[in-house]
Amino acid sequence: MDKNLLIIELPWELSPRNLKEISCLICGGKGQKVGSVIVNKALLGIHKCSNDELMWLTPRPDQSFYDQMYGNFFYTSTSPEQYGYASVEEESRRKEKAVLNWKDIECESPVTLNMGSFLEIGCATGEMLGEAISRGWRSVWGNELSGAAVQKCREKDYNMYEGSCLEIEVKTPFDLIFADNVIEHLTDCREFLYKMEKLLSPDGMLCLRLPNTPPTGPELKLIDHTYHFNPRSLGLLLNTCGLTIAKVIDSGIFHGSEGKRIKNMTLFCLRSE
């Protein structure tokens, strides 16, 4: 049943002329509309595929909309429940989350961690990087789009790849790649997973932390999340990119207003045999 999920005015432009209908990333179907999102008076929708349970935003704004959001408004969000963060200065909260994320990785990893090379995609101001260094990882790198966040990381002397993770080129692949709330923001998740598979060492592991979308659909982060996954839908997509899920765990809850919440999960992914 189609329900009105959100009406919001954003501080940057969304032109109805720049909206594009999107099909299911996995099977190519159109899916069924399960909710409406009205952004700057433009009507968008959340669709769900009955074949693979994937949900996504359609019609979707073009890349210029997301470039504006991530470049100018992501860390000054007027509605953090629906996109971004209120401030880039929320480092203490991210530090607490980094400790919990590392606890999940160290306690739940399905393979032995060799403490070699670590890369975080979307590292913000580097809290996971700092924890990796303190835990003894020998080579630690971060990747981030936000210039303000990259500057903060460089002030801490962290190794950084600035810009799109798709442009990262390395001679030595990584033993562990971690991406916290990244893949659901992307417009081409398959291209991202292909890139992660190429950046992994032969015995490397990809850890993805993201919302575990309930069957009824999402209620929060409706602006910056282009896709909404559960273990089944993401597992099917991973399989098309040479990766497979070795383990899934629950990993915290994001609480919004009016009782709304996001239940997060962490997926431990290995190369397909």
Side-chain angles (χ1 to χ4, degrees), residues 87-262:
S87 170
V88 74
E89 304 295 337
E90 295 180 17
E91 293 182 49
S92 61
R93 184 183 66 81
R94 288 195 292 270
K95 170 72 172 178
E96 293 174 0
K97 189 170 77 166
V99 171
L100 293 174
N101 285 339
W102 272 112
K103 182 179 178 180
D104 281 346
I105 292 170
E106 292 170 341
C107 294
E108 301 289 346
S109 173
V111 297
T112 301
L113 301 173
N114 69 8
M115 311 303 288
S117 53
F118 171 73
L119 168 66
E120 183 182 13
I121 305 296
C123 68
T125 49
E127 288 69 33
M128 282 290 288
L129 308 183
E131 287 295 316
I133 293 169
S134 70
R135 282 164 162 75
W137 283 81
R138 293 184 290 276
S139 176
V140 176
W141 286 81
N143 162 251
E144 176 58 46
L145 286 171
S146 166
V150 169
Q151 179 60 33
K152 285 187 172 288
C153 286
R154 288 182 171 153
E155 289 171 0
K156 302 172 187 175
D157 293 324
Y158 295 154
N159 299 315
M160 293 297 298
Y161 298 107
E162 183 175 2
S164 170
C165 63
L166 301 178
E167 298 174 2
I168 296 175
E169 298 293 338
V170 297
K171 293 182 179 179
T172 304
F174 292 94
D175 299 306
L176 176 62
I177 301 176
F178 179 71
D180 183 358
N181 285 273
V182 171
I183 190 170
E184 70 274 20
H185 291 255
L186 305 177
T187 55
D188 193 337
C189 305
R190 181 176 278 111
E191 185 179 18
F192 167 77
L193 291 174
Y194 276 133
K195 184 66 176 182
M196 295 303 102
E197 192 270 341
K198 290 180 180 178
L199 291 175
L200 276 179
S201 64
D203 296 320
M205 181 169 64
L206 170 66
C207 286
L208 301 172
R209 183 175 182 271
L210 68 156
N212 185 352
T213 306
T216 53
E219 295 182 308
L220 300 172
K221 296 293 184 178
L222 297 170
I223 302 301
D224 55 0
H225 290 187
T226 54
Y227 288 96
H228 304 274
F229 294 99
N230 64 15
R232 181 172 185 270
S233 59
L234 188 48
L236 290 169
L237 183 61
L238 283 158
N239 291 344
T240 68
C241 302
L243 297 164
T244 187
I245 298 174
K247 189 175 184 178
V248 182
I249 63 169
D250 295 333
S251 56
I253 296 174
F254 173 84
H255 292 279
S257 61
E258 301 176 353
K260 297 176 181 178
R261 65 178 190 168
I262 293 175

Side-chain angles (χ1 to χ4, degrees), residues 8 10-19 37-44 57 59-62 64-66 68 223:
I8 191 170
L10 298 174
W12 71 97
E13 182 181 3
L14 170 60
S15 171
R17 297 189 302 274
N18 295 334
L19 294 174
V37 180
I38 300 175
V39 182
N40 295 4
K41 299 182 175 60
L43 178 62
L44 317 180
L57 181 70
R60 189 170 69 202
D62 66 6
S64 66
F65 173 86
Y66 296 103
Q68 288 186 69
I223 302 301

